[in-house]
């Protein structure tokens, strides 16, 4: 299932995922936006963690020792990472508020019908996902 999910994320635009969640699964657009925003920020969060780790290692941070010592010393990396994520989320919330998100502006999106290639890929994913069960 994880591989199928990763393949879907690699082959599908985030906007199409949000539109499908709203149209086909009748999920409120706020929840669909929240899910797709979380998917969009995962690579940014990983890049920020790498930048923060590099910056802390330039300042003399060392993650050597046993597991407990490494876990306690990782707080030095987590604090700036969380602060940066909170700042980005506040900026996103402000920009969404200024653009009028949630005022029924996403109800008028055009529907995109599924094509033959979509059904073929969907069938292939189902067959490959259930292969261990019917083998």
């Amino acid at each position: 299932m994880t591989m199928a999910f990763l393949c879907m994320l690699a082959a599908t635009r985030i906007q199409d995922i949000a539109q499908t969640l709203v149209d086909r699964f009748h999920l409120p657009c706020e929840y669909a936006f929240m899910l797709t925003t979380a998917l969009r920020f995962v690579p940014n969060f990983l890049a920020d963690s790498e930048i923060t780790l590099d910056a802390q290692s330039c300042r003399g941070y060392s993650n050597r020792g046993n597991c407990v010592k490494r876990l306690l010393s990782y707080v030095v990396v987590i604090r700036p990472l969380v602060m940066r994520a909170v700042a980005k989320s506040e900026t996103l919330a402000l920009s969404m508020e200024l653009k009028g998100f949630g005022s029924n502006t996403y109800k008028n999106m055009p529907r995109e019908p599924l094509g033959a290639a979509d059904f073929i890929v969907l069938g292939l994913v189902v067959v490959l996902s259930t292969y261990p069960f019917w083998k």
Side-chain angles (χ1 to χ4, degrees), residues 7 16 23 39 59 65 69 82-83 89 102 104 117 120 122 126 129:
C7 288
D16 293 340
D23 291 343
L39 290 175
R59 293 182 182 120
K69 197 176 224 182
V82 168
M83 297 305 276
S89 67
N104 293 329
I120 291 171
L122 183 64
V126 168
S129 302

Side-chain angles (χ1 to χ4, degrees), residues 5-23 27 29 31-44 106 109 112:
F5 185 70
L6 290 175
C7 288
M8 181 195 72
L9 284 179
T12 311
R13 293 183 319 162
I14 298 286
Q15 295 88 353
D16 293 340
I17 294 172
Q19 183 177 358
T20 303
L21 288 172
V22 171
D23 291 343
L27 194 69
C29 63
Y31 295 135
F33 182 77
M34 181 176 55
L35 178 69
T36 55
T37 303
L39 290 175
R40 189 175 288 168
F41 277 116
V42 166
N44 293 340
Y106 295 100
M109 294 175 67
E112 253 184 71

Side-chain angles (χ1 to χ4, degrees), residues 48-62:
D48 284 347
S49 69
E50 198 171 308
I51 290 169
T52 306
L53 189 59
D54 287 344
Q56 294 297 345
S57 65
C58 287
R59 293 182 182 120
Y61 166 74
S62 176

Side-chain angles (χ1 to χ4, degrees), residues 59-103:
R59 293 182 182 120
Y61 166 74
S62 176
N63 61 352
R64 302 199 180 195
N66 60 11
C67 292
V68 175
K69 197 176 224 182
R70 278 192 283 176
L71 185 65
L72 291 175
S73 66
Y74 204 68
V75 172
V76 178
V77 176
I78 292 174
R79 186 177 295 150
L81 192 60
V82 168
M83 297 305 276
R84 187 177 294 165
V86 167
K88 283 184 179 182
S89 67
E90 285 177 351
T91 304
L92 178 66
L94 182 63
S95 65
M96 286 173 50
E97 185 178 345
L98 291 174
K99 290 180 181 182
F101 179 78
S103 60

